[in-house]
Amino acid sequence: MKLILILLLISFVLSTNSTLKIKGLDWWQQEVIYQIYPRSFKDSNNDGIGDLRGIYQKLTYLKSLGVGCIWLSPILKSPMADFGYDVSNFREIDPIFGTMDDFDMLIRKARKLGLKVIMDYVPNHTSEKHEWFIKSVERIPPYTDYYIWRDAKYQNGKRYPPNNWLSNFGKSAWEWNEKRNQYYFHQFGVQQPDLNYRNPVVFEEMKNNVIFWLDKGIDGLRIDSVDYLYESEEFLDEPPSHVDGVSAEEYAYLNHTYTRFQPENIALIQTWREVFDRYSARGSTKFMVTEAYGKAEEVIKFFGISKRLGAHFPFNFLFITNVNKESNAIALRDIIQNWYKHMPHYGWGNWVIGNHDNPRPATRYGHFLVDGLHMLQMLLPGTAIVYNGDELGMEDTFIRWDQTVDPKALNAGPLKYQEFSRDGCRTPFQWDDTENSGFTKSLHTWLPVNPDYWRVNVKSELKNKKELITHLEIFRELVQLRKNIVFQRGDLNLYVLSNWVLAVTRSFNDHATYAIIVNLGSEITISNLYEKRPSLPRKMSVVIPSINSNYLKGHIINTNSIVLRPKASVVLTTSEEDWDIKPNIITHEDDNYKIY
Ligand code: NOJ
């Protein structure tokens, strides 16, 4: 059996038009995961910041999207130096978001609606306001070594940090503490001291916090920054990266060989997985997803080994890190293959195209490509993880320096902040065209609402239901379509039809075959899928067209000459049923093409 799996995997890797087979699926494999950034989703008490009751009010919207699981970005007690990614109490809800009762109420309603809820867990660091850190500064046992403290180096009577390690938010990763007379290490902001996992007490404390939330009945955790958890014990200087144009204070200036992706990180995740599995054995699976940016071969290590599993899956950020406006069909195909190539046989695919740390897909690729990206994300084998607002094609909001609140951007200063700022993708969700997009009744919002809210919002995008001409309606259709067995269990074939046109086909036993065709280019294209796969019928019908495709549902397309406008995309099916319902055949002679 093992041999067959390995052979299958090898044939997949070697062939361009390769096949991947999938068997028996659990909820986290079937459902779409929807990330909520609570500060920006819905404000129920009109203080300009989103909250748990706001999310509660909007659960029916999430249900109507068809997603099956929500992931809440941090809602725990925090001074908000990094907007919740600096936790000062791992067991309390921050009053900005509400109370534990609000949380329980949210979980209850979600459960009634059949929605799973997972939370963010931020284990690499705490807030400097966490009582552990306050006591650690004072060297009060047992907290003395809860964090990574080091003596200064002195040269010519001047004080220097112990080594050259840099913070992800820029500048030295070491901050001097007068009281303790030592430096502490922080991979992120100075307000986020790193925990010392080499201290068994810390290891145990953080495991118990995981248990606390599992006991509360949540369905899983998204584990933050798992590539940063441990550092090499020798504290050697890291080598320079020699990346052009990067200043000595920027994180990219060094290769982070001693502070990222240490083997101990995976062992820690494996320990937590054991805990998750114990809870899963009592009923529904408790799901763990890990966050780490890096090469596929590094990131997939968080799957663990088959005999000692790690995460159910580590996020696959390849669409974020390896795709840009210039990427062609070959690049996209390679990226898709890259994940499956490195994924172990006990692994599972997943596709992330946006989150609260990166420019939105509509901004990164232009909003016309949003439907095509959603088609890929939803219909490739694996779980789709969606960031709130991307379903509308929301774009990044321009944030002036005087409005900037992201610590990473603030650290970069007024000249460079835009390169680093994550504020643009975190602005309030756009519900309707009323003041402040229906996000709040307050005049002031913690980040400004995107000026395009009068046009890009849930209310206006739902109006066009029948014609499928909004990103939101297309998104909803895709979520429904991916529930089809062909997408849940079918094989995968990738075809580069031309430099800019990528085709993906999915089939399963004798079910209809589906094809997703995406034109990444800025020219109109006529592609021949039939030639690449002659077993396909000469005609297929449109199941879902992108808003700019000029196709409607049910249109029939010749598979040997698929015309696509720039940045347009379609999902096609061989299903006879669709032919019967809408026998609206377009051929090259049809008037419809004359507009080109
Ligand atoms: C990753 C989170 O997604 C990001 O928002 C945060 O700043 C860092 N980890 C530090 O926790």
Side-chain angles (χ1 to χ4, degrees):
M1 182 60 193
K2 232 182 185 171
L3 191 70
I4 297 174
L5 274 171
I6 292 169
L7 286 176
L8 261 176
L9 199 72
I10 292 173
S11 77
F12 174 74
V13 172
L14 294 181
S15 129
T16 311
N17 305 326
S18 38
T19 302
L20 182 80
K21 297 245 187 258
I22 300 162
K23 287 192 186 146
L25 303 176
D26 201 349
W27 70 260
W28 53 273
Q29 297 170 303
Q30 297 182 55
E31 302 293 359
V32 172
I33 300 177
Y34 186 91
Q35 178 189 0
I36 295 181
Y37 195 69
R39 291 182 74 86
S40 291
F41 196 59
K42 173 71 186 160
D43 177 16
S44 75
N45 62 352
N46 300 319
D47 61 358
I49 302 174
D51 45 49
L52 289 173
R53 281 174 180 253
I55 300 172
Y56 179 91
Q57 288 166 12
K58 293 296 185 184
L59 279 183
T60 44
Y61 166 72
L62 299 175
K63 188 67 193 165
S64 80
L65 285 182
V67 304
C69 173
I70 56 176
W71 146 33
L72 302 174
S73 276
I75 50 170
L76 301 187
K77 193 105 195 291
S78 164
M80 302 289 163
D82 191 17
F83 301 108
Y85 285 95
D86 48 323
V87 178
S88 54
N89 188 318
F90 285 101
R91 298 183 183 199
E92 274 177 28
I93 305 288
D94 194 279
I96 280 210
F97 297 121
T99 62
M100 195 59 98
D101 284 345
D102 295 336
F103 177 78
D104 291 337
M105 191 172 83
L106 177 68
I107 300 279
R108 275 200 304 274
K109 184 163 173 197
R111 194 138 294 155
K112 262 197 199 137
L113 293 171
L115 292 167
K116 305 273 184 199
V117 180
I118 67 170
M119 290 172 71
D120 228 302
Y121 189 58
V122 188
N124 176 66
H125 43 267
T126 70
S127 159
E128 58 174 348
K129 298 277 177 341
H130 196 295
E131 69 158 320
W132 296 345
F133 188 70
I134 294 169
K135 291 184 172 158
S136 193
V137 168
E138 307 275 358
R139 297 181 195 261
I140 298 175
Y143 304 102
T144 321
D145 295 322
Y146 264 44
Y147 296 85
I148 299 166
W149 294 99
R150 278 285 171 286
D151 291 335
K153 274 198 314 208
Y154 287 94
Q155 254 170 21
N156 304 327
K158 218 178 149 212
R159 189 185 66 222
Y160 292 96
N163 62 26
N164 72 346
W165 293 356
L166 290 168
S167 145
N168 181 289
F169 287 0
K171 306 200 176 116
S172 173
W174 296 99
E175 182 73 6
W176 179 250
N177 184 280
E178 278 299 338
K179 225 178 206 167
R180 177 149 165 161
N181 207 28
Q182 275 189 314
Y183 280 99
Y184 69 86
F185 179 63
H186 59 93
Q187 296 255 33
F188 295 91
V190 284
Q191 305 92 334
Q192 295 162 287
D194 265 49
L195 283 165
N196 174 17
Y197 278 93
R198 298 195 190 276
N199 178 344
V201 189
V202 170
F203 194 97
E204 217 41 40
E205 291 256 32
M206 291 304 282
K207 189 165 97 184
N208 289 338
N209 285 329
V210 168
I211 291 173
F212 174 85
W213 287 103
L214 291 177
D215 278 337
K216 282 226 56 106
I218 55 154
D219 297 294
L221 293 174
R222 172 264 190 198
I223 318 251
D224 186 72
S225 301
V226 290
D227 43 336
Y228 293 84
L229 292 168
Y230 281 82
E231 295 72 36
S232 133
E233 283 182 286
E234 284 153 61
F235 290 87
L236 300 175
D237 276 357
E238 288 187 326
S241 63
H242 301 294
V243 175
D244 282 346
V246 173
S247 78
E249 291 199 326
E250 282 175 47
Y251 189 61
Y253 189 75
L254 299 176
N255 280 337
H256 304 286
T257 31
Y258 301 128
T259 53
R260 299 273 295 279
F261 290 106
Q262 303 300 300
E264 293 92 330
N265 301 4
I266 293 145
L268 175 61
I269 293 301
Q270 286 167 317
T271 309
W272 289 353
R273 175 64 185 266
E274 278 165 21
V275 177
F276 275 60
D277 285 350
R278 274 209 305 278
Y279 277 77
S280 303
R282 302 178 192 168
S284 159
T285 300
K286 302 294 178 188
F287 162 68
M288 190 207 297
V289 52
T290 50
E291 186 232 22
Y293 289 83
K295 290 192 182 131
E297 52 268 43
E298 285 287 359
V299 169
I300 57 94
K301 288 187 185 156
F302 285 98
F303 274 117
I305 54 171
S306 61
K307 290 208 173 93
R308 195 152 184 246
L309 296 172
H312 289 86
F313 56 74
F315 279 135
N316 168 5
F317 292 128
L318 294 180
F319 265 103
I320 294 182
T321 52
N322 295 27
V323 182
N324 60 38
K325 275 189 182 149
E326 301 206 34
S327 305
N328 62 15
I330 300 167
L332 241 75
R333 179 205 60 195
D334 290 351
I335 279 160
I336 296 168
Q337 284 191 334
N338 197 18
W339 181 262
Y340 297 120
K341 184 174 97 183
H342 288 102
M343 191 176 84
H345 66 86
Y346 48 88
W348 179 250
N350 75 94
W351 302 97
V352 185
I353 61 172
N355 60 28
H356 64 296
D357 289 330
N358 292 284
R360 286 184 178 275
T363 300
R364 251 179 306 129
Y365 310 110
H367 92 92
F368 286 123
L369 209 52
V370 161
D371 303 326
L373 289 166
H374 280 148
M375 286 174 190
L376 293 174
Q377 177 185 36
M378 291 291 161
L379 304 180
L380 284 169
T383 304
I385 300 105
V386 181
Y387 178 51
N388 58 195
D390 283 349
E391 73 273 26
L392 307 175
M394 267 177 70
E395 301 209 27
D396 275 22
T397 308
F398 173 74
I399 307 290
R400 297 186 312 257
W401 172 245
D402 63 290
Q403 298 168 312
T404 295
V405 289
D406 176 13
K408 197 170 179 178
L410 290 173
N411 271 6
L415 297 181
K416 273 208 149 184
Y417 80 99
Q418 282 187 45
E419 203 183 302
F420 296 92
S421 180
R422 302 169 297 176
D423 287 333
C425 65
R426 296 176 176 181
T427 59
F429 193 90
Q430 294 162 207
W431 293 103
D432 56 40
D433 57 4
T434 62
E435 246 160 54
N436 279 331
S437 69
F439 162 69
T440 179
K441 293 209 167 63
S442 155
L443 263 189
H444 175 78
T445 54
W446 78 284
L447 276 172
V449 173
N450 193 310
D452 70 7
Y453 77 90
W454 57 272
R455 181 173 60 84
V456 180
N457 62 64
V458 173
K459 197 167 158 222
S460 77
E461 293 201 27
L462 282 180
K463 264 194 204 149
N464 296 303
K465 208 170 174 136
K466 287 233 172 67
E467 293 86 358
L468 268 195
I469 51 170
T470 68
H471 295 308
L472 178 57
E473 282 307 338
I474 288 169
F475 178 89
R476 284 164 35 123
E477 292 265 331
L478 285 168
V479 175
Q480 290 315 316
L481 185 62
R482 85 188 294 281
K483 295 183 176 158
N484 185 311
I485 191 155
V486 175
F487 297 106
Q488 297 280 326
R489 290 164 182 262
D491 64 10
L492 165 69
N493 289 275
L494 302 167
Y495 304 93
V496 170
L497 300 186
S498 67
N499 219 8
W500 297 104
V501 180
L502 179 73
V504 173
T505 63
R506 304 286 320 266
S507 22
F508 182 69
N509 296 344
D510 51 0
H511 292 263
T513 293
Y514 287 83
I516 302 120
I517 328 274
V518 184
N519 179 6
L520 300 159
S522 38
E523 304 88 6
I524 183 164
T525 53
I526 303 179
S527 324
N528 190 340
L529 175 62
Y530 182 78
E531 168 193 70
K532 297 268 179 184
R533 186 162 166 166
S535 60
L536 281 177
R538 292 233 175 220
K539 291 180 193 301
M540 288 173 82
S541 62
V542 174
V543 194
I544 303 182
S546 68
I547 58 172
N548 52 344
S549 68
N550 202 33
Y551 292 116
L552 294 175
K553 262 180 147 192
H555 275 165
I556 303 298
I557 287 185
N558 292 320
T559 47
N560 62 0
S561 61
I562 303 167
V563 180
L564 278 180
R565 284 175 168 182
K567 313 285 178 197
S569 47
V570 275
V571 181
L572 306 175
T573 179
T574 58
S575 165
E576 300 270 330
E577 232 170 75
D578 283 347
W579 287 45
D580 291 343
I581 301 167
K582 287 168 193 134
N584 186 5
I585 298 182
I586 296 180
T587 67
H588 272 284
E589 291 78 53
D590 271 6
D591 282 352
N592 295 37
Y593 283 111
K594 292 205 174 122
I595 55 167
Y596 301 118

